[in-house]
Amino acid sequence: MDCCLVVGRRSWQEILKWNGWGYNDSKFIFNKKGQAEFTGKRYRLGGMVLPTFKEWIERTFGASLEHKTTSRASLNVNDVPPSIVNEEFLQDLRATKISYSQDAEDRVFRAHGHCLHEIFVLREGMFKRIPDIVVWPVCHEDVVKIVELACKHNLCIIPFGGGTSVSSALECPEEEKRTIVSLDTSQMNRILWIDEKNLTACVEAGIIGQDLEKQLSESGFCTGHEPDSMEFSSLGGWVATRASGMKKNIYGNIEDLVIHIKMVTPRGIVEKNCQVPRMSTGPDIHHFIMGSEGILGVVTEVTIKIRPLPEYQKYGSVVFPNFERGVACLREVAKQRCAPASIRLVDNAQFQFGHALKPQVASIFTSFLDGLKKFYITKFKGFDPNVLCVATLLFEGDREKVLQHEKQVYDIATKFGGLAAGEDNGQRGYMLTFVIAYLRDLGLDYYVIGESFETSVPWDRVLDLCRNVKERIVRECKEKGVQFAPFSTCRVTQTYDAGACVYFYFAFNYRGISDPIHVYEEIERAAREEILANGGSLSHHHGVGKLRKRWMKESISDVGLGMLRSVKEYVDPNNIFGNKNLL
């Protein structure tokens, strides 16, 4: 096996948690004094104490530091299902000189995404079925060889990018009897070329989001595509799930950024004959590939639009007296087509949650200022701290235009009773985006399970959908015997001419419940039914995977599902890409 490759992929695997989110050195803990703090130095919150968080978690969930669960410290390789690989295939694979592994750790690491039930299994048990072998192609040609070998030996391939899926897309079907190959694209991580005249770049699909932006920035460019998972998710994964980024108002979603895709399928290679901004040549084949979730083939190279790095960036925030006014303001901003790079509105429960994550204040002066601000908003302006909500803003571009743009947005906010609440709150809001995912692991240590899910919805249904889904979660928890009221909250994260993306968080204390994951899944299912009944979509950007495919027929119609099935049967008649997503 090629040593430098092994080091490359192993080092990434070794700095990440094997049974939780993110980096090993970054996590929320309760220190010896019983105060919450965030470890590590990778994030601005690193090393800081969060003095009010313990009280918030106890008050919100009825949780107690006395009641702690324990997760397994390391993987027990004896629990891992054995690797079953045909010897003839191994001989053929060795002849290609492509790196591979049958190690238990490597196989388990690629057997899952980050759904709650997957992480729960890792903490307490083991998957019944995992990949039998992991392969690391380093280029498009390697992928062609692997797919040809899989067809020759009748194997099942599951493509693996950054492993951040939250739709059960990476779980191996338990009934799959063939050898399962996890095709890890992480070594296909180069920018092949940058075209400064056409502002495009051709990039291998395994590159991780933060690496793509870092490498492009060295040449003065960016894609501007920043999903919340960008530290760990891959370009190929974005294409496979039809991803959306928090700055889509300026840069677009993945479907707006893609110019050209190269994909290897069991039938051969799919790609267009030219790299042009638009074609009228029948239905767009890119739209078969985007959102195909690994059921048709492996995306190997993508040509994407790039932009010069923005000259100026400015954060901001606005406090509204209530959620209704905030939504009305976002609607007006969308109508006037003047949305900043990012505008996100959190409800009151999420505002309180964000407040509980405030680090210990360094100086008396800062705490005095915070107190004054709070006094002004609640006493002088009459905002109820238990009702108000906050929008965080991010402006990017030419300095003069940003300042004009900022004034336009704040003027609209004023008409809806909004008050400017400063750059710091805006910046903190975006910083929290990256650390919030780490909280689930802390919750699991204290009998609290939580998850997020999302939808898109027309503007006239936003308020009803948010209210009804949150109420349904509370009702379902009560009926299922959850003893403490759940945390049920939402935020509007992306805005469009005709609607918005709404993101929900919900969590509850599961002490006293014998099968918490089953109860959780029933509640999530009810919440999804409520979303669909209120005119929301099955998913805005997380995708379908195996978790949500029961609603596919309802979402795209019987005939629509049949069309998708026909493409699958033509491109992959022997179901080599057998992850069982979507269909």
Side-chain angles (χ1 to χ4, degrees):
M1 228 193 287
D2 187 325
C3 289
C4 65
L5 284 186
V6 174
V7 169
R9 49 90 178 171
R10 277 263 166 80
S11 59
W12 178 240
Q13 188 174 321
E14 279 163 11
I15 60 171
L16 299 181
K17 294 187 187 77
W18 73 277
N19 65 349
W21 178 262
Y23 297 107
N24 272 325
D25 58 11
S26 305
K27 53 176 176 276
F28 286 95
I29 59 161
F30 287 110
N31 62 25
K32 288 188 174 110
K33 293 180 181 171
Q35 290 177 309
E37 63 175 87
F38 191 70
T39 65
K41 293 178 181 167
R42 295 176 190 272
Y43 301 91
R44 280 183 58 201
L45 205 60
M48 293 187 179
V49 170
L50 314 168
T52 62
F53 188 66
K54 174 176 175 271
E55 190 222 333
W56 178 85
I57 211 169
E58 288 173 341
R59 188 179 68 244
T60 307
F61 297 106
S64 160
L65 298 197
E66 314 297 307
H67 303 290
K68 197 172 190 295
T69 68
T70 48
S71 155
R72 290 185 308 174
S74 60
L75 178 67
N76 180 353
V77 292
N78 297 325
D79 294 341
V80 178
S83 164
I84 299 157
V85 180
N86 165 327
E87 190 50 47
E88 287 170 11
F89 162 65
L90 275 183
Q91 278 177 2
D92 285 353
L93 182 61
R94 286 186 198 111
T96 67
K97 303 278 197 291
I98 294 168
S99 286
Y100 70 90
S101 167
Q102 292 170 269
D103 291 354
E105 287 93 343
D106 293 336
R107 292 162 53 227
V108 169
F109 191 80
R110 290 156 187 82
H112 64 89
H114 281 272
C115 288
L116 175 68
H117 66 267
E118 293 171 307
I119 299 305
F120 213 82
V121 165
L122 284 173
R123 287 170 66 98
E124 308 211 344
M126 182 42 63
F127 300 104
K128 292 193 174 76
R129 190 75 172 92
I130 69 167
D132 296 295
I133 186 167
V134 182
V135 293
W136 284 275
V138 297
C139 59
H140 168 80
E141 288 71 25
D142 280 358
V143 175
V144 172
K145 288 174 192 169
I146 293 164
V147 173
E148 283 172 353
L149 286 183
C151 292
K152 176 183 171 183
H153 296 281
N154 189 26
L155 314 177
C156 171
I157 296 178
I158 298 184
F160 183 93
T164 59
S165 156
V166 283
S167 64
S168 304
L170 289 168
E171 279 189 86
C172 298
E174 283 180 24
E175 64 282 7
E176 180 58 75
K177 297 285 188 284
R178 300 173 295 178
T179 293
I180 297 178
V181 179
S182 175
L183 189 154
D184 184 322
T185 59
S186 62
Q187 303 308 305
M188 296 164 56
N189 55 17
R190 293 166 302 168
I191 295 175
L192 299 175
W193 48 257
I194 292 174
D195 181 339
E196 298 193 8
K197 283 187 178 161
N198 293 310
L199 286 178
T200 55
C202 183
V203 188
E204 291 179 317
I207 198 166
I208 298 299
Q210 61 174 336
D211 296 339
L212 173 60
E213 292 304 300
K214 186 166 172 280
Q215 287 179 42
L216 282 174
S217 71
E218 287 163 10
S219 303
F221 297 103
C222 67
T223 67
H225 185 73
E226 293 187 9
D228 291 359
S229 62
M230 72 172 288
E231 298 170 282
F232 311 110
S233 56
S234 69
L235 172 58
W238 301 343
V239 170
T241 55
R242 285 181 67 87
S244 177
M246 55 178 133
K247 299 196 293 194
K248 74 102 199 142
N249 296 334
I250 291 183
Y251 301 99
N253 288 320
I254 195 69
E255 65 272 21
D256 307 305
L257 286 163
V258 164
I259 296 289
H260 186 266
I261 301 172
K262 192 185 274 193
M263 181 165 86
V264 180
T265 79
R267 277 267 180 204
I269 295 155
V270 187
E271 64 178 323
K272 295 180 182 179
N273 72 329
C274 54
Q275 309 227 0
V276 293
R278 189 174 189 275
M279 293 166 77
S280 176
T281 47
D284 189 341
I285 58 161
H286 283 170
H287 287 284
F288 286 117
I289 298 170
M290 285 189 280
S292 60
E293 301 193 9
I295 67 167
L296 303 178
V298 185
V299 174
T300 56
E301 293 171 16
V302 186
T303 303
I304 41 172
K305 297 177 192 173
I306 56 174
R307 300 291 306 158
L309 283 168
E311 171 199 324
Y312 189 64
Q313 200 177 48
K314 193 171 183 190
Y315 292 93
S317 60
V318 181
V319 182
F320 293 97
N322 55 44
F323 192 64
E324 291 74 16
R325 295 270 193 97
V327 170
C329 173
L330 264 63
R331 172 69 193 110
E332 186 58 31
V333 167
K335 196 188 282 182
Q336 291 194 29
R337 290 195 168 169
C338 64
S342 175
I343 179 166
R344 307 204 285 193
L345 179 77
V346 301
D347 68 5
N348 184 263
Q350 217 166 115
F351 161 72
Q352 308 264 11
F353 171 43
H355 200 71
L357 287 168
K358 235 179 170 165
Q360 203 152 29
V361 176
S363 74
I364 292 170
F365 182 65
T366 322
S367 85
F368 177 67
L369 273 182
D370 276 354
L372 272 185
K373 227 182 273 175
K374 200 171 173 187
F375 177 82
Y376 175 72
I377 288 169
T378 57
K379 302 290 188 295
F380 186 66
K381 282 292 182 181
F383 283 25
D384 181 342
N386 296 312
V387 180
L388 64 80
C389 72
V390 179
T392 53
L393 314 168
L394 172 61
F395 299 88
E396 267 189 19
D398 170 82
R399 188 172 192 276
E400 208 170 300
K401 282 184 184 155
V402 162
L403 297 176
Q404 286 170 2
H405 196 174
E406 183 185 41
K407 184 183 182 309
Q408 188 181 4
V409 172
Y410 282 114
D411 285 349
I412 294 170
T414 306
K415 288 176 188 160
F416 293 91
L419 277 178
E423 283 183 62
D424 285 357
N425 284 321
Q427 196 164 6
R428 253 189 82 252
Y430 287 97
M431 181 267 294
L432 285 179
T433 298
F434 295 110
V435 300
I436 267 175
Y438 286 91
L439 275 167
R440 183 170 69 186
D441 296 333
L442 177 75
L444 285 168
D445 287 342
Y446 296 95
Y447 291 93
V448 173
I449 52 179
E451 188 65 288
S452 62
F453 52 91
E454 40 67 62
T455 183
S456 46
V457 60
W459 280 114
D460 64 346
R461 303 278 184 91
V462 170
L463 289 172
D464 286 348
L465 182 137
C466 290
R467 184 187 62 248
N468 292 344
V469 172
K470 288 192 284 187
E471 285 177 0
R472 178 76 180 265
I473 287 170
V474 171
R475 204 163 64 241
E476 291 286 332
C477 282
K478 213 169 192 173
E479 286 171 14
K480 303 280 185 295
V482 175
Q483 293 170 21
F484 306 89
F487 177 62
S488 175
T489 173
C490 69
R491 66 175 190 243
V492 179
T493 59
Q494 276 111 326
T495 60
Y496 298 86
D497 289 352
C501 168
V502 178
Y503 208 94
F504 291 90
Y505 287 115
F506 97 90
F508 60 85
N509 183 334
Y510 70 86
R511 276 182 63 221
I513 295 174
S514 59
D515 190 351
I517 294 301
H518 177 67
V519 168
Y520 160 75
E521 285 174 344
E522 286 193 329
I523 295 165
E524 190 194 29
R525 196 172 304 145
R528 182 61 57 187
E529 297 277 7
E530 193 68 35
I531 283 171
L532 296 172
N534 281 272
S537 69
L538 187 54
S539 175
H540 170 264
H541 61 269
H542 280 170
V544 174
K546 291 177 271 293
L547 192 64
R548 291 177 268 274
K549 70 177 181 177
R550 75 180 70 213
W551 294 288
M552 273 294 277
K553 195 197 305 195
E554 183 184 336
S555 293
I556 64 170
S557 82
D558 207 3
V559 176
L561 200 60
M563 289 165 75
L564 189 55
R565 198 168 273 122
S566 297
V567 172
K568 166 72 174 167
E569 281 165 9
Y570 174 75
V571 167
D572 186 14
N574 297 318
N575 194 30
I576 298 299
F577 289 88
N579 61 22
K580 295 212 162 171
N581 294 336
L582 295 170
L583 298 171

